[in-house]
């Protein structure tokens, strides 16, 4: 499942079967990777559970090992034990470049060691994804930031608290500044901070480790630096994006799916939009039941949390392509996130793009196609499109999907989907 050569495999999807049954999810990708990076802040051992079996996790483990952290990862059990007794400031460039989330090591290294040297990370290709907000915040805290070719170096012998107002509530910048601030001298205030549930999860774990953070879940975080943090055991929060993806897949196929280990409160706006689109959603304490028959049009605007997540936008577009009427979708977070639309249009979707707005006319009859070069969320959306298309869809570059969705194929198969992971060579030539 986590075969690094997975780009030599494809997903073959045959449309038509409604998804039915129960799927139980694990912890959130966007939380787990940051919790792992936070291990750099104390000499451990940090014991994490509900770590998802996704491809980015072993890369983060390798990166941390290369930074001097002892890492004991058990993907089968979903546990990770990390002990950063004597870390050094320069994570290995090859691992750093493989995942965007490696940038999350910058803040903890600066907090713990007062310096860091990091290759510029990779990950999805969904926009410029600059690091200017990270750099400006660290500079306000007394750091000097040097840009070398393909690398950033931060030196901060006198790291201190500061008043920081972010231009945009960036998830990554909020987390990095937070992780530097917990061990800085004095008070840091981050205004216009990101409020995503995964940011809150990180804040709560840091508090459990002894950090002093007020305003968790609000746009203003106040962090009073402490001398040191202590190790804890922590359970990663559920993956709202994975849950939203299965919910939309259930709805678009006219299915009936129960999703277990979800926090419905993290999905308030996606659930409002699913209901507006004609889906019946029943909320339990930690579960959702999603059923749909006739889909209706809806309008969606992506925004930082609690807005509609950009990470569910491609999946929502697939859903709306099957609704009876015209829907509108506006993307405000990542400038190039509509690139998936061209693939969907090749399958027969009727979508008009004007800048960061899209007009979706449904219901469109989708036909199977070969889809390539999609990022993690667009890849999942491509699979969803395949589940409702006539004939066979081949999704290539599935290593992207493996970065964000644990056991995607077996979980969909268990829900009745006709999907298989097969060697790409079967479709070459
Ligand atoms: C995180 C998530 C990603 C999600 C995104 C928005 C992880 C590993 N990834 O990404 O799945 O789609 O939040 O919810 O958690 N920006 C700048 N300068 C900066 C930082 C960001 O201009 O210094 C811009 C980016 O180019 C982008 C926007 O801000 O247009 C959002 O970025 P950000 O919130 O930082 O996303 P990530 O943390 O990269």
């Amino acid at each position: 499942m986590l075969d690094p050569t997975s780009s030599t495999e494809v997903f073959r999807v045959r449309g038509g079967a409604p998804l039915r049954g129960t799927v139980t999810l694990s912890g959130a990708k966007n939380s787990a990777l940051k919790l792992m990076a936070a291990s750099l802040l104390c000499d451990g051992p940090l014991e994490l559970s509900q770590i998802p079996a996704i491809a980015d996790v072993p890369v983060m483990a390798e990166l941390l090992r290369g930074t001097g952290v002892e890492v004991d990862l058990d993907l089968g059990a979903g546990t990770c034990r990390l002990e950063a007794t004597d870390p050094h400031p320069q994570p290995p460039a090859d691992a750093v470049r493989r995942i965007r989330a490696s940038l999350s090591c910058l803040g903890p290294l600066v907090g713990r060691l007062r310096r860091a040297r990091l290759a510029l990370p990779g990950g999805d290709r969904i926009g410029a994804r600059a690091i200017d907000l990270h750099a400006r915040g660290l500079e306000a805290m007394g750091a000097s930031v040097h840009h070398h070719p393909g690398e950033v170096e931060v030196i901060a012998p006198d790291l201190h608290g500061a008043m920081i107002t972010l231009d945009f509530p960036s998830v990554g910048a909020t987390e990095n500044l937070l992780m530097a601030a917990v061990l800085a001298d004095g008070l840091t205030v981050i205004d216009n901070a990101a409020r995503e549930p995964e940011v809150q999860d990180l804040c709560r774990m840091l508090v459990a480790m002894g950090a002093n953070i007020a305003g968790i879940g609000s746009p203003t975080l106040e962090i009073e630096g402490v001398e040191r943090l202590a190790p804890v055991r922590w359970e990663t929060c559920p993956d709202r994006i994975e849950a939203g993806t299965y919910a939309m897949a259930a709805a678009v196929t006219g299915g009936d799916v129960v999703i277990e280990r979800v926090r419905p409160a993290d999905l308030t706006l996606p659930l409002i939009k699913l209901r507006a689109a004609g889906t019946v959603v029943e909320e339990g304490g930690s579960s959702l039941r999603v059923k749909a028959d006739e889909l209706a049009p809806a309008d969606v605007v992506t925004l930082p949390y609690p807005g509609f997540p950009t990470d569910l936008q491609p999946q929502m577009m697939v859903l709306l392509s099957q609704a009876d009427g015209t829907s509108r979708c506006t993307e405000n977070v990542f400038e190039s996130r509509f690139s998936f639309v061209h693939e969907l249009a090749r399958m027969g979707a009727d979508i008009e793009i004007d800048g960061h707005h899209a007009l979706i006319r449904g219901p469109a009859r989708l036909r199977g196609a070969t889809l390539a070069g999609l990022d993690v969320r667009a890849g999942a959306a491509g699979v969803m499109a395949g589940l409702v298309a006539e004939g066979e869809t081949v999704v290539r570059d599935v290593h992207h999907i493996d970065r964000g969705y644990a056991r995607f194929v077996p979980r969909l198969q268990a829900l009745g989907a006709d999907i298989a992971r097969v060697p790409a060579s079967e479709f070459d030539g």
Side-chain angles (χ1 to χ4, degrees), residues 30 34 100-101 129-134 168 170-172 196 310-311 333-334 337:
N30 288 352
K34 322 306 173 61
R100 166 78 187 173
R129 302 190 126 193
I131 62 158
D132 55 331
L133 304 179
H134 306 243
F168 180 89
S170 152
V171 169
E196 270 67 3
T310 178
D311 285 354
V333 182
F334 286 113
R337 204 149 215 184

Side-chain angles (χ1 to χ4, degrees), residues 223-245:
I223 306 123
E224 183 72 50
V226 295
E227 290 253 311
R228 61 173 45 82
L229 296 178
V232 284
R233 289 180 174 198
W234 196 256
E235 184 179 300
T236 314
C237 71
D239 198 317
R240 66 197 163 99
I241 304 300
E242 196 180 23
T245 303

Side-chain angles (χ1 to χ4, degrees), residues 13-223:
V13 189
R14 295 192 183 117
L19 299 189
R20 291 187 198 286
T22 299
V23 60
T24 303
L25 303 181
S26 43
K29 161 184 179 282
N30 288 352
S31 188
L33 297 168
K34 322 306 173 61
L35 300 179
M36 290 173 74
S39 68
L40 289 163
L41 286 166
C42 77
D43 50 19
L46 194 60
E47 293 187 38
L48 304 176
S49 57
Q50 290 295 342
I51 293 291
I54 54 172
D56 275 9
V57 164
V59 180
M60 182 57 107
E62 187 187 320
L63 185 162
L64 290 169
R65 278 188 202 110
T67 316
V69 184
E70 226 175 86
V71 185
D72 186 1
L73 171 66
D74 184 342
L75 272 186
T79 57
C80 190
R81 185 178 185 280
L82 305 108
E83 201 158 357
T85 321
D86 190 17
H88 64 80
Q90 190 165 357
D94 48 342
V96 170
R97 293 212 169 91
R98 285 168 63 194
I99 50 169
R100 166 78 187 173
S102 51
L103 188 55
S104 316
C105 294
L106 195 65
L109 285 173
V110 173
R112 175 94 178 263
L113 303 175
R114 301 308 201 232
R115 61 185 302 137
R117 192 169 173 125
L118 198 71
L120 289 176
D124 292 332
R125 284 159 283 161
I126 47 171
R129 302 190 126 193
I131 62 158
D132 55 331
L133 304 179
H134 306 243
R136 287 215 298 272
L138 289 170
E139 280 166 349
M141 296 173 74
S144 53
V145 178
H146 307 276
H147 296 275
H148 304 292
E151 257 187 357
V152 62
E153 184 178 21
V154 182
I155 302 171
D158 302 310
L159 190 72
H160 55 72
M163 299 287 295
I164 299 166
T165 301
L166 295 176
D167 287 9
F168 180 89
S170 152
V171 169
T174 301
E175 292 171 337
N176 258 333
L177 298 174
L178 169 74
M179 288 193 276
V182 287
L183 292 179
D185 288 334
L187 176 71
T188 299
V189 179
I190 308 175
D191 208 1
N192 201 20
R195 291 188 270 165
E196 270 67 3
E198 298 78 24
V199 179
Q200 297 183 36
D201 199 33
L202 174 64
C203 286
R204 294 202 174 92
M205 183 180 83
L206 293 171
V207 168
M209 291 166 78
N212 198 338
I213 306 171
I216 297 173
S218 84
T220 308
L221 290 173
E222 293 186 7
I223 306 123

Side-chain angles (χ1 to χ4, degrees), residues 273 298-302 308-309 313 316 320 327-331:
K273 293 301 173 183
D299 294 340
V300 174
V301 177
T302 70
F308 189 92
Q313 179 260 101
M316 192 71 190
L320 295 175
S327 303
R328 282 174 193 76
C329 179
T330 301
E331 171 60 52

